[in-house]
Amino acid sequence: MALRKALSYEVLNTLKRHDVVEETQGSRRIMVELFRRWVLQQQSRAIAFAISAYAFATSAIAIAISANVFVISAIAFATSATAFAISAIAFATSAIAFAISAIAFVISATAFAISATAFVISATAFAISAIAIAILRAYLLKLRGSRASLNPSPSKLNASTVKIISTAGGQINQGWSTKIEALLARESILPQEGSGC
């Protein structure tokens, strides 16, 4: 009972402080207008608190969205950096491949030049061999004479045959024609000298 009185007293004092209950000459009276204002004030405070709480929640959501946007931006930046690094590696690989191709082209050109030089050397050696064979053949033909001169026949001892051989020898080599003429003259003179003795 005493607790109930104490609570009632506290409630009345609270209502008095907020101008809801008015006490005059030992009697108490509820001020309806004041009570309505007090309720409205309490409602306004509750609404303001709710609005503040809503604003706070909205701000928190906005901060979370901003954080998410920042994370997405960071991921996009990292992806761009990775793509740039991959592009740089691809460019470096292409440059290396181009350099290798250039080196291969230079090696191929050098090999072609070496092959061309070898071909020229081979062609020159072939030409020199052909010239040497031609010179050797001409020399052998000059040294041995023609096949007709190697076959024994009575017409060989005629002066006309000797003249032809000496003319041909003179055209090729003067030294050999002189030797041949001397030999032929000696063979033609010796029988006459023998018969004179």
Side-chain angles (χ1 to χ4, degrees), residues 13 17 27 47 50 80-81 101 106 115 128 157 162 166 187 189 197:
N13 284 335
R17 279 198 308 273
S27 64
I47 292 169
S80 301
S101 300
V106 170
S115 300
I128 291 169
L157 299 175
V162 174
S166 65
E187 287 177 3
I189 290 169
C197 294

Side-chain angles (χ1 to χ4, degrees), residues 99-128:
I100 290 169
S101 300
I103 291 167
F105 178 77
V106 170
I107 291 169
S108 300
T110 306
F112 179 78
I114 291 169
S115 300
T117 306
F119 178 77
V120 170
I121 291 169
S122 300
T124 306
F126 179 77
I128 291 169

Side-chain angles (χ1 to χ4, degrees), residues 39-97:
V39 170
L40 288 176
Q41 283 178 357
Q42 298 305 318
Q43 286 179 350
S44 297
R45 287 177 184 171
I47 292 169
F49 179 77
I51 292 170
S52 299
Y54 178 76
F56 179 77
T58 306
S59 299
I61 292 168
I63 290 169
I65 291 170
S66 299
N68 289 332
V69 169
F70 179 77
V71 170
I72 292 168
S73 299
I75 291 169
F77 179 77
T79 305
S80 301
T82 304
F84 179 77
I86 291 169
S87 300
I89 291 167
F91 179 77
T93 305
S94 300
I96 290 168

